[in-house]
Amino acid sequence: MSTTTGPTAAGTRTLLSARNLVKHFPVRGGGLLRRTVGEVHAVCDVSFELAEGETLGLVGESGCGKSTTARVALNLIPATSGEVRFGDRELTSTSAKDMRALRREMQLVFQDPYASLDPRMPVSELIAEPLRIHGLYDAGGRQQVRDLMKTVGLKPEHGNRYPHEFSGGQRQRIGIARALALRPKLLVLDEPVSALDVSIQAGVLNLLQELQAELGLSYLFVSHDLSVVRHIADRIAVMYLGKIVETGPAEQLFNAPAHPYTHALISAIPLPDPRRERARERITVVGDLPSPANPPSGCRFRTRCPKFAAELSASQQSRCTDEEPELSDRGTGHPVACHFAEARSLL
Amino acid sequence: MSPAPSPTTDTVLEVSGLNVSFPSSDGAVRAVRGVDYALRRGEILGIVGESGSGKSVTSMAVMGLLPNTAQITGSITFDGQDLLTLSEQQLNGIRGDRIAMIFQDPMTSLNPVYTVGAQIAEAVRAHRDVTKAQALERAVELLRTVRIPNPEQRVSSYPHELSGGMRQRVVIAIAMANDPDVIIADEPTTALDVTVQAQILDALKAAQQETGAAMVLITHDLGVIAGQADRVMVMYAGKLVEVGSVEDIFYTPRMPYTLGLLGSLPRLDQQSERLTPIPGSPPSVVNMPPGCPFSPRCPLSTPECDDTEPVLESVGTDHRAACHHSSEVSGARPDEVFDTATVDADALGEFVQAAEGQA
Amino acid sequence: MPEPRTSTTLTDQAQLAQTPGAAPVDREFTVAERSQTQLVFRRFLQHRAAMISLVVLVLLVLLAYVGGALWKYDVGEITPDNSVPPSLDHPFGTDAVGKDQLAQVLGGTRISLQVSVVVTLFATAIGTLWGSIAGFFGGRIDTVMMRIADLVLTLPLVAVAAMLGHNFGGTWYLIAFVIAGLYWAYVSRVARGVVLSLREKEYIEAARALGATNTRIILRHLVPNALGSILVNLTILVALAILLETALSYLGFGVQNPDTSLGLLVSEAQTALTTRPWLFYFPGLFIIIIALTINFIGDGLRDAFDPQQTKVRQ
Ligand SMILES: Nc1ncnc2c1ncn2[C@@H]1O[C@H](COP(=O)(O)OP(=O)(O)OP(=O)(O)O)[C@@H](O)[C@H]1O
Ligand SMILES: Nc1ncnc2c1ncn2[C@@H]1O[C@H](COP(=O)(O)OP(=O)(O)OP(=O)(O)O)[C@@H](O)[C@H]1O
Ligand code: SF4
Ligand code: SF4
Ligand SMILES: [Mg+2]
Ligand SMILES: [Mg+2]
């Protein structure tokens, strides 16, 4: 029913495409039997496309299903329904064995650069691991590991150190080196800089950009930080409660956002510029994210939507309550999932 | 150390020559080194700096909340008394009362077994001679000020029934009830989503305006500082490296670290090609070498910088910076000072070749 | 409260010079590249109690095997002197029928060591794999495998061992297998618990995202990380094995004469505790030395395998 995140840049081939992805997690009750008492609708009917050499930013607040989308797209957790195509392969029906071989092409970089590195492996071994897994280490793997370490800004002499001996930014570089080792086509980055101080974060972002330019990688960049996403992404998809509510080219999304949630998100991010920050028009939302186990009917954003609360008539409101808005272009230049979408300038 | 600016009658809290160190097996951890500042009545003073730069320790020293192992020297003057010389009992009279603290995790300040109404009412009754019912009424009013929906019902909720953002608002309401002179907020919004952060910042501002308290706002988010603070202190490796009005810090920084921080920020309001990261990572505050602590990461560093540690010196009205070359920073753009390249091109080329040869 | 960050900040200084563009001041030690086994080995060497224990244990083993072979009396050899207290000719004295106790104790040590090594190796190998597989796969596999382990755990150990020992008993390796056949269940419980918590770690997911097979994840990530906790249990196991063997021998279902074990010696000595105390003290002392040294070695191994625990980094 929903459209995808729109056409990818002309003339390029689609590398990854997800169609109507759904992922439900069972909620188990307490007690001995641990019966399933409900379902968390972590991802509901999400579709997107990612072209070769492109960066798609996936943004949204905590718990909106970004990480789950990323993992389902990599077939790391099985989708409840929906399809994922990688190149010309359909991932959801690929056997575990074929999937393991395919992982060479698609890699994941984690948010917590500490938890995702085995504390008992020295760094050179960590970076060599992907090569070993795919039987590529014996052919000059040692030298490749050293090159990789240099590439991401680590000293090869430090290869025998353990992850805990490195600072956060360096650990994230280790994670990136590991992901790069197999020369993948796709990197899925799950909040790769969220745990880092700004001065360190900038270095990692630059590294990612340079690697992309050099190696022609495609990035699915997951983040809750709109500023970071604007900096790095070509196209952006905004998620709310398991759904993509707005998507489009980065420039358009920031210059003419059309979904009330995107408005609120952009308004909520403080600009590091005192004069502009204090002079800004603000759209604020009230309340907190509803539980994904029991999402509101109709438009999922309606419980917090400032437009719903302040601008709509009762009959318009009932449309929001009863009818789920589709993700489609309503004359704003890019797909938006709001019955009353309206482009605004907020920056 | 340069002398702190002379305190005026406007000053509510004055910290001078504050040093905090913790003994460790590898030598003293010098978490705070010679921090001086004066907090003016009703102002919002922002403290920014990287993780581990001593922001929290500085404010915990003011609150007398550091563990007993901490070695503290200097003075912290509040209301004519040096807080460092007070007994624990005397401190208790001030802490949470005239100086309120808001932490990143609201549960550190809430008691899980009492309703939020009871906790706010208790704070109200500590200050005013009112009945329980009146105190509860005031609690509802305070909850409304911090924009909690349905405050009449929410007063009888327990902390675990509220979301993180709501709890943080309750903490702010308790702080307001005490009618403090100073509010210290240590990363009050770091654990929250941006839309909730915006709500909390509004609530904080409301609390600060209603009580007329001065506020110390600690955060690593320069955007929050830009929107909230009147003055800003930048900390690095336990020291203040730049102090000035929010405009000074953002538009005319005079210390390379501040400039680097600004250049590191991706901007929501403009498309930038490349950021200018600060190379390296912050130094350990154990066994620090002499000289400027920023020197190993500073593109402007000269031998002088490694010999003598720069002190905070006036570089403009009410603007101080600790840098031997602060005049060179003046007017410079981050990308004129810092390098933007991060990839070792040779290594990358070799790697690409090796991998292609293999394929 | 700020979390103690010293462990990372400590190294931050060392990292300064690591990033391109940093000042050329290299404020850090230089380390030669070393393999992981070399590092583990080095850390173990630096653990004093473990090293002393290792030396003592090696001496004890040499004494038992080389010393036992060189000593003028053999196990079970009856000398003309009966019931003599320790002397130059019989450093550990003799028993009522005139067996030289030094020869007996050394022989008993050999058997006891062999029993405990076999028990520990088998019980640990089987138990660790069993528990790791159950914990890793979870679900029905876990339920079935753990039910089986529980069943073994609820068996009255001594009674079953006695029964099996009675039917197959006599030779030391059969006794060892009987004991291992009961103790692996205990190890598997420990291993499963450890693996259950490790399984949720992000680095396991990371390995899977790299395309690692389950076998690789279990062998390269789960088992090495579980090793610490398992090693500690392993040392307890050595002591337990010796004790169970003692109990079996005492009941008469363990090692049979003319073979002997430390347990058998201790139990034989019990009747003569007041008249010939040396018969009791020497084998008892050997049991304690073996249990203690292995325990310390276990400690040292655990520290050596866990890079976060060691204070020696340079
Ligand atoms: N394994 C799981 N079992 C049950 N529920 C889960 C599981 N993983 C995620 N969820 C739930 O699914 C929803 C989406 O989670 P997800 O981790 O994808 O969010 P996110 O957008 O990545 O959030 P964050 O920014 O906090 O990482 C959440 O409500 C979460 O609690
Ligand atoms: N109780 C303590 N014992 C030992 N060292 C401590 C203690 N508390 C803080 N430190 C050290 O003091 C230094 C400054 O810590 P502080 O918590 O003030 O940093 P911060 O600027 O608040 O960082 P963050 O942004 O991560 O909160 C750190 O190096 C920290 O490890
Ligand atoms: S559909 Fe209605 S409730 Fe939903 S975002 Fe649009 S206006 Fe708001
Ligand atoms: S004193 Fe020197 S090293 Fe320190 S910030 Fe200034 S120029 Fe850089
Ligand atoms: Mg996530
Ligand atoms: Mg802090």
Side-chain angles (χ1 to χ4, degrees):
Chain A
M1 61 175 261
S2 65
T3 64
T4 67
T5 57
T8 50
T12 50
R13 279 187 301 154
T14 301
L15 179 65
L16 178 77
S17 87
R19 216 153 281 281
N20 308 107
L21 282 188
V22 175
K23 179 69 194 177
H24 292 176
F25 291 108
V27 182
R28 296 195 195 283
L32 263 182
L33 294 174
R34 313 216 343 110
R35 262 178 306 137
T36 305
V37 294
E39 276 183 330
V40 174
H41 299 226
V43 176
C44 292
D45 194 20
V46 163
S47 303
F48 60 83
E49 270 175 18
L50 178 64
E52 280 176 7
E54 184 197 38
T55 303
L56 173 65
L58 200 55
V59 283
E61 290 174 289
S62 177
C64 72
K66 307 181 294 292
S67 301
T68 308
T69 305
R71 280 164 178 70
V72 172
L74 283 180
N75 204 9
L76 276 172
I77 47 178
T80 306
S81 69
E83 292 171 11
V84 182
R85 287 190 80 77
F86 179 79
D88 47 15
R89 297 286 296 256
E90 167 54 46
L91 296 190
T92 38
S93 59
T94 302
S95 73
K97 186 161 168 287
D98 290 352
M99 199 58 228
R100 274 200 296 276
L102 258 180
R103 299 230 171 271
R104 222 184 126 167
E105 317 254 283
M106 49 176 97
Q107 291 291 311
L108 179 59
V109 175
F110 292 81
Q111 165 170 9
D112 186 339
Y114 198 32
S116 56
L117 300 174
D118 187 335
R120 268 157 222 269
M121 279 197 177
V123 168
S124 55
E125 202 43 49
L126 282 167
I127 300 176
E129 186 173 30
L131 297 170
R132 288 191 198 277
I133 288 173
H134 294 271
L136 302 169
Y137 187 77
D138 294 333
R142 210 178 134 79
Q143 186 55 39
Q144 277 197 50
V145 169
R146 297 176 68 92
D147 287 338
L148 272 167
M149 288 187 74
K150 268 194 267 172
T151 305
V152 298
L154 298 167
K155 279 191 174 176
E157 301 86 275
H158 294 159
N160 61 346
R161 295 203 184 172
Y162 289 87
H164 73 272
E165 299 179 67
F166 291 84
S167 66
Q170 289 171 325
R171 285 186 208 136
Q172 198 52 290
R173 286 166 192 268
I174 298 170
I176 293 172
R178 225 160 110 85
L180 281 182
L182 295 168
R183 293 287 321 275
K185 291 187 182 134
L186 168 68
L187 273 196
V188 174
L189 303 130
D190 190 358
E191 311 253 13
V193 295
S194 305
L196 309 176
D197 273 321
V198 275
S199 72
I200 309 294
Q201 162 183 317
V204 174
L205 288 175
N206 278 7
L207 173 68
L208 288 173
Q209 283 182 308
E210 282 167 52
L211 289 172
Q212 181 171 46
E214 207 60 45
L215 302 171
L217 298 166
S218 301
Y219 290 158
L220 177 60
F221 193 100
V222 172
S223 176
H224 67 270
D225 188 337
L226 266 184
S227 326
V228 168
V229 168
R230 164 156 208 186
H231 178 74
I232 200 147
D234 303 312
R235 285 185 310 116
I236 294 176
V238 180
M239 278 188 84
Y240 185 79
L241 222 57
K243 284 188 169 292
I244 293 180
V245 295
E246 180 163 13
T247 176
E251 277 318 289
Q252 232 184 71
L253 204 98
F254 282 96
N255 293 331
H259 195 282
Y261 178 62
T262 316
H263 296 158
L265 213 51
I266 291 176
S267 287
I269 297 193
L271 300 176
D273 182 330
R275 282 177 212 148
R276 294 185 72 171
E277 169 65 12
R278 286 164 208 232
R280 273 169 89 187
E281 182 196 358
R282 276 245 145 62
I283 294 166
T284 49
V285 299
V286 290
D288 301 292
L289 210 66
S291 156
N294 187 16
S297 69
C299 173
R300 295 189 166 197
F301 187 52
R302 71 178 160 82
T303 52
R304 300 172 76 198
C305 178
K307 186 170 213 140
F308 179 87
E311 294 171 30
L312 300 187
S313 69
S315 64
Q316 286 174 315
Q317 284 184 344
S318 65
R319 187 160 176 222
C320 299
T321 322
D322 301 336
E323 189 188 329
E324 186 165 341
E326 254 180 63
L327 182 65
S328 62
D329 190 343
R330 292 177 171 79
T332 52
H334 58 265
V336 188
C338 168
H339 297 305
F340 306 99
E342 182 187 6
R344 298 181 66 158
S345 168
L346 289 164
L347 286 169
Chain B
M1 292 299 119
S2 71
S6 62
T8 60
T9 45
D10 265 358
T11 304
V12 268
L13 177 75
E14 199 201 341
V15 174
S16 58
L18 182 69
N19 278 288
V20 181
S21 66
F22 301 94
S24 84
S25 54
D26 304 278
V29 178
R30 302 200 54 195
V32 175
R33 302 180 299 134
V35 163
D36 300 289
Y37 69 87
L39 182 66
R40 298 165 198 169
R41 204 165 287 286
E43 79 168 342
I44 300 184
L45 176 64
I47 306 184
V48 281
E50 254 154 326
S51 184
S53 57
K55 307 182 295 289
S56 299
V57 171
T58 304
S59 51
M60 304 253 258
V62 173
M63 293 295 283
L65 288 178
L66 288 173
N68 290 333
T69 52
Q71 288 157 1
I72 312 171
T73 59
S75 73
I76 298 170
T77 316
F78 174 76
D79 198 18
Q81 347 175 43
D82 184 354
L83 296 186
L84 290 179
T85 61
L86 296 188
S87 68
E88 186 66 15
Q89 206 180 358
Q90 287 169 303
L91 265 180
N92 273 335
I94 293 176
R95 193 161 49 199
D97 191 352
R98 306 213 32 213
I99 306 181
M101 185 130 187
I102 297 166
F103 295 96
Q104 177 175 335
D105 178 5
M107 284 315 277
T108 47
S109 347
L110 292 177
N111 188 335
V113 301
Y114 293 109
T115 62
V116 298
Q119 297 184 56
I120 303 173
E122 188 188 293
V124 172
R125 275 160 63 87
H127 293 271
R128 293 179 213 192
D129 191 16
V130 293
T131 64
K132 270 197 176 149
Q134 284 171 315
L136 217 54
E137 233 166 77
R138 172 82 181 132
V140 173
E141 212 176 290
L142 285 167
L143 286 179
R144 190 168 291 124
T145 317
V146 294
R147 318 225 161 98
I148 286 193
N150 303 330
E152 294 84 0
Q153 285 145 38
R154 284 299 177 196
V155 276
S156 41
S157 308
Y158 287 90
H160 72 264
E161 297 171 322
L162 303 176
S163 69
M166 296 271 218
R167 285 182 204 152
Q168 196 62 291
R169 273 180 269 202
V170 171
V171 173
I172 296 171
I174 293 175
M176 285 175 70
N178 286 316
D179 201 9
D181 297 316
V182 175
I183 300 173
I184 299 179
D186 189 353
E187 312 259 8
T189 58
T190 304
L192 305 170
D193 277 323
V194 274
T195 53
V196 180
Q197 162 173 293
Q199 299 165 11
I200 297 296
L201 289 175
D202 281 348
L204 258 184
K205 197 123 197 177
Q208 191 251 347
Q209 272 159 5
E210 184 150 313
T211 56
M215 180 154 85
V216 177
L217 178 62
I218 300 173
T219 170
H220 61 267
D221 188 336
L222 281 163
V224 170
I225 292 286
Q228 310 292 320
D230 301 312
R231 285 197 307 135
V232 183
M233 308 203 296
V234 183
M235 283 194 83
Y236 190 76
K239 272 192 44 158
L240 292 182
V241 292
E242 184 158 6
V243 183
S245 71
V246 68
E247 302 231 333
D248 286 340
I249 299 292
F250 281 87
Y251 301 127
T252 55
R254 296 293 293 273
M255 156 82 195
Y257 174 64
T258 315
L259 187 71
L261 271 187
L262 292 170
S264 305
L265 283 177
R267 294 283 294 258
L268 190 65
D269 53 343
Q270 60 201 42
Q271 182 57 276
S272 45
E273 257 314 293
R274 280 286 187 277
L275 304 169
T276 56
I278 305 176
S281 25
S284 153
V285 285
V286 186
N287 301 323
M288 294 202 55
C292 175
F294 189 56
S295 173
R297 305 173 74 186
C298 181
L300 299 180
S301 175
T302 56
E304 186 195 3
C305 302
D306 287 327
D307 293 339
T308 43
E309 182 155 9
V311 293
L312 268 184
E313 274 164 3
S314 179
V315 291
T317 6
D318 223 3
H319 185 183
R320 295 180 296 153
C323 173
H324 294 307
H325 304 295
S326 63
S327 56
E328 285 172 48
V329 181
S330 177
R333 284 203 320 268
D335 57 353
E336 292 167 346
V337 174
F338 289 91
D339 202 3
T340 52
T342 48
V343 171
D344 181 340
D346 295 342
L348 182 61
E350 269 172 50
F351 166 67
V352 172
Q353 260 177 8
E356 265 157 16
Q358 203 178 68
Chain C
M1 287 300 295
E3 63 270 63
R5 202 177 286 106
T6 32
S7 70
T8 46
T9 44
L10 256 180
T11 55
D12 282 341
Q13 182 184 19
Q15 309 300 335
L16 278 180
Q18 236 174 283
T19 321
V25 223
D26 197 0
R27 302 184 185 210
E28 88 187 303
F29 47 84
T30 39
V31 268
E33 264 185 277
R34 263 184 227 99
S35 75
Q36 191 174 15
T37 29
Q38 281 173 313
L39 287 170
V40 168
F41 198 63
R42 265 168 61 93
R43 279 195 295 261
F44 185 77
L45 288 182
Q46 274 150 345
H47 197 289
R48 184 173 303 171
M51 275 314 289
I52 294 174
S53 297
L54 186 65
V55 170
V56 171
L57 191 66
V58 166
L59 288 179
L60 197 87
V61 170
L62 282 179
L63 185 68
Y65 285 88
V66 182
L70 295 180
W71 183 236
K72 53 190 168 188
Y73 303 113
D74 282 336
V75 180
E77 185 179 337
I78 296 177
T79 68
D81 324 299
N82 46 1
S83 296
V84 297
S87 66
L88 259 186
D89 195 34
H90 300 288
F92 287 6
T94 62
D95 67 4
V97 290
K99 284 187 221 157
D100 177 65
Q101 282 303 293
L102 178 57
Q104 293 297 99
V105 167
L106 294 183
T109 305
R110 287 196 295 271
I111 300 293
S112 289
L113 282 174
Q114 284 160 357
V115 168
S116 58
V117 164
V118 169
V119 167
T120 309
L121 283 183
F122 276 84
T124 307
I126 298 169
T128 304
L129 264 182
W130 190 274
S132 300
I133 291 170
F136 180 73
F137 290 104
R140 194 159 300 155
I141 298 180
D142 182 35
T143 315
V144 172
M145 289 179 82
M146 279 302 121
R147 275 295 127 75
I148 296 174
D150 284 345
L151 199 75
V152 175
L153 275 177
T154 50
L155 295 175
L157 211 59
V158 176
V160 173
M163 191 193 79
L164 292 172
H166 182 69
N167 287 336
F168 304 103
T171 34
W172 68 269
Y173 48 87
L174 286 176
I175 300 290
F177 283 127
V178 166
I179 299 177
L182 296 169
Y183 273 163
W184 69 266
Y186 168 76
V187 180
S188 77
R189 277 251 151 237
V190 175
R192 174 177 175 269
V194 176
V195 166
L196 269 188
S197 69
L198 288 178
R199 191 178 68 162
E200 302 301 322
K201 298 270 184 207
E202 207 162 74
Y203 57 80
I204 301 294
E205 193 190 2
R208 190 166 289 135
L210 289 176
T213 55
N214 287 338
T215 320
R216 185 184 171 91
I217 293 177
I218 293 179
L219 293 182
R220 292 284 297 163
H221 297 285
L222 284 178
V223 172
N225 278 288
L227 214 59
S229 323
I230 292 170
L231 273 177
V232 179
N233 280 281
L234 189 141
T235 55
I236 297 169
L237 215 61
V238 173
L240 284 178
I242 291 183
L243 292 180
L244 187 60
E245 184 267 325
T246 306
L248 287 181
S249 300
Y250 182 75
L251 293 172
F253 301 118
V255 175
Q256 307 286 326
N257 269 320
D259 264 359
T260 191
S261 71
L262 290 176
L264 189 61
L265 287 173
V266 167
S267 59
E268 282 173 354
Q270 275 197 332
T271 49
L273 202 53
T274 46
T275 50
R276 293 181 293 273
W278 59 86
L279 292 186
F280 177 76
Y281 288 143
F282 290 107
L285 184 71
F286 271 57
I287 291 177
I288 292 172
I289 292 176
I290 295 171
L292 272 184
T293 51
I294 291 180
N295 204 14
F296 280 125
I297 292 169
D299 265 5
L301 282 176
R302 184 190 51 200
D303 289 357
F305 274 108
D306 188 349
Q308 286 155 92
Q309 285 211 341
T310 45
K311 282 140 212 103
V312 281
R313 201 175 289 151
Q314 290 91 331

